[in-house]
């Protein structure tokens, strides 16, 4: 009997079955009468539990720390230990998905840029429509702010198309100093080489078979697939573009980033502050596509 609860039960048993007084029972058990008479007073956690369940249902791939950032924005700042306890009591753990085997050994850290718009990272992600037709997504990420600058979805993305998308992006944000990518055929084409020379943008290719050298966009690809692609059934290419655009806005302006201290990429870039995320994303009424509301 080491816990106060066990000692309370022993005192109650002695008084009920042996007819001892409270003073005598406490003396035999070795506990203060104040401990026996203590009545715990806890704050009602019902609103916190309800809001935590709502956020966990809306953000099914968020853990308790990231959900805590969202609660703090709404004025709820529970202790992290209490938040974890409630998170476990409500059985809101994120289900782990099986992953590939990863290489072991030491890795040198990537040098972080000093400011926004200095280095962009490019990569491709693929997915499938409900009709089994595959499509690709061009991901462009700012390595300093972690912003997703573009998500271009199409069934085919050639080097000419990539150069055209980058030109439009430069018109909106300005020219970066360096662009980092792997050695894919689209990114090593003559169209990209000519574009980098004309725009005077340094293009850095990582070592083949070393995706960790492009870690920022690789990490972003994991978040994109885990929180959007694996959670959504795309019925058409228009549906995919609509959902990706909504998710990109949410990622940049609402979703807290753990490496940014719970802030959003837009806050780091100084463009705007976070706002409320759309709880339901569907297809516009004039698009005439089925599957509206598949992305939550």
């Amino acid at each position: 009997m080491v816990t106060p609860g066990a000692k309370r039960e022993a005192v109650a048993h002695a008084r009920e079955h042996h007819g001892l007084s409270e003073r005598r029972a406490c003396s035999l058990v070795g506990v203060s009468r104040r401990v026996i008479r203590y009545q715990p007073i806890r704050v009602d956690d019902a609103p916190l539990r309800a809001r935590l369940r709502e956020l966990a249902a809306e953000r099914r791939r968020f853990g308790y720390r990231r959900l805590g950032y969202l609660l703090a924005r709404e004025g709820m700042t529970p202790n992290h230990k209490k938040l974890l306890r409630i998170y476990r009591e409500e059985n809101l753990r994120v289900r782990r998905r099986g992953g590939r085997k990863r290489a072991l050994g030491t890795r040198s850290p990537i040098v972080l840029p000093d400011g926004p718009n200095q280095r962009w990272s490019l990569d491709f992600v693929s997915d499938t429509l409900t009709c089994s037709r595959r499509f690709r997504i061009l991901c462009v990420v700012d390595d300093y702010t972690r912003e997703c600058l573009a998500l271009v979805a199409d069934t085919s993305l050639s080097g000419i198309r990539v150069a055209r998308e980058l030109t439009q992006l430069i018109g909106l944000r300005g020219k970066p100093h360096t662009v980092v990518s792997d050695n894919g055929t689209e990114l090593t084409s003559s169209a990209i080489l000519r574009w980098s020379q004309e725009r005077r943008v340094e293009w850095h290719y990582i070592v083949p078979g070393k995706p960790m050298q492009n870690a920022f966009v690789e990490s972003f690809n994991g978040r994109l697939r885990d929180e959007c692609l694996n959670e959504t059934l795309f019925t058409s290419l228009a549906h995919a573009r609509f959902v990706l655009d909504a998710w990109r806005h949410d990622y940049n302006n609402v979703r807290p980033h753990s490496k940014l201290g719970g802030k959003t990429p837009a806050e780091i870039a100084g463009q705007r502050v976070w706002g409320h995320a759309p709880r339901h994303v569907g297809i516009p009424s004039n698009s005439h596509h089925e599957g509206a509301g598949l992305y939550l």
Side-chain angles (χ1 to χ4, degrees), residues 3 35 42 77 81 85 104 111-112 118 136-137 200-201 260 271 274:
T3 63
V35 175
R42 287 190 175 182
T77 55
K81 294 182 288 186
R85 174 177 58 82
L104 300 177
V111 179
L112 188 67
Q118 292 187 6
R136 305 183 72 194
I137 305 170
R200 297 183 179 179
V201 175
L260 301 178
Q271 294 180 355
W274 50 265

Side-chain angles (χ1 to χ4, degrees), residues 84-279:
L84 177 60
R85 174 177 58 82
I86 296 177
Y87 181 82
R88 289 175 173 174
E89 291 175 355
E90 296 295 329
N91 196 23
L92 300 177
R93 296 182 182 88
V94 178
R95 180 175 59 87
R96 290 185 176 271
R97 293 191 174 106
R100 61 179 176 83
K101 293 183 179 179
R102 302 184 182 275
L104 300 177
T106 59
R107 298 173 180 173
S108 58
I110 294 180
V111 179
L112 188 67
D114 297 331
N117 218 36
Q118 292 187 6
R119 188 174 69 197
W120 294 355
S121 296
L122 273 64
D123 201 5
F124 290 95
V125 179
S126 62
D127 204 0
T128 309
L129 302 176
T130 53
C131 62
S132 299
R133 186 178 185 182
R134 296 189 64 82
F135 67 96
R136 305 183 72 194
I137 305 170
L138 171 64
C139 305
V140 185
V141 176
D142 188 306
D143 290 355
Y144 180 79
T145 64
R146 311 299 206 278
E147 286 179 280
C148 175
L149 306 181
L151 287 177
V152 182
D154 211 332
T155 54
S156 177
L157 293 171
S158 63
I160 299 176
R161 175 68 181 280
V162 173
R164 186 169 68 248
E165 295 293 339
L166 291 177
T167 301
Q168 295 178 0
L169 197 57
I170 287 177
L172 295 175
R173 298 184 55 91
K175 184 174 65 175
H177 180 269
T178 307
V179 175
V180 182
S181 72
D182 57 17
N183 296 267
T185 56
E186 304 88 351
L187 303 177
T188 57
S189 62
S190 58
I192 292 297
L193 296 177
R194 184 170 55 253
W195 179 88
S196 62
Q197 293 175 358
E198 293 175 353
R199 298 285 175 174
R200 297 183 179 179
V201 175
E202 181 181 349
W203 199 289
H204 175 73
Y205 294 100
I206 65 174
V207 178
K210 299 290 184 178
M212 69 287 295
Q213 296 182 2
N214 203 12
F216 292 101
V217 72
E218 291 291 345
S219 176
F220 171 81
N221 292 345
R223 305 283 74 75
L224 173 64
R225 185 167 298 281
D226 186 48
E227 298 176 12
C228 180
L229 301 185
N230 290 346
E231 297 289 307
T232 314
L233 295 176
F234 299 112
T235 59
S236 65
L237 193 58
H239 181 203
R241 289 170 177 168
F242 179 81
V243 171
L244 288 172
D245 184 66
W247 187 86
R248 185 178 72 89
H249 178 273
D250 180 86
Y251 180 88
N252 289 335
N253 298 277
V254 181
R255 181 187 185 275
H257 203 296
S258 58
K259 292 299 183 181
L260 301 178
K263 296 183 180 180
T264 64
E267 288 182 279
I268 299 299
Q271 294 180 355
R272 60 162 302 203
V273 297
W274 50 265
H276 294 286
R279 296 193 178 185

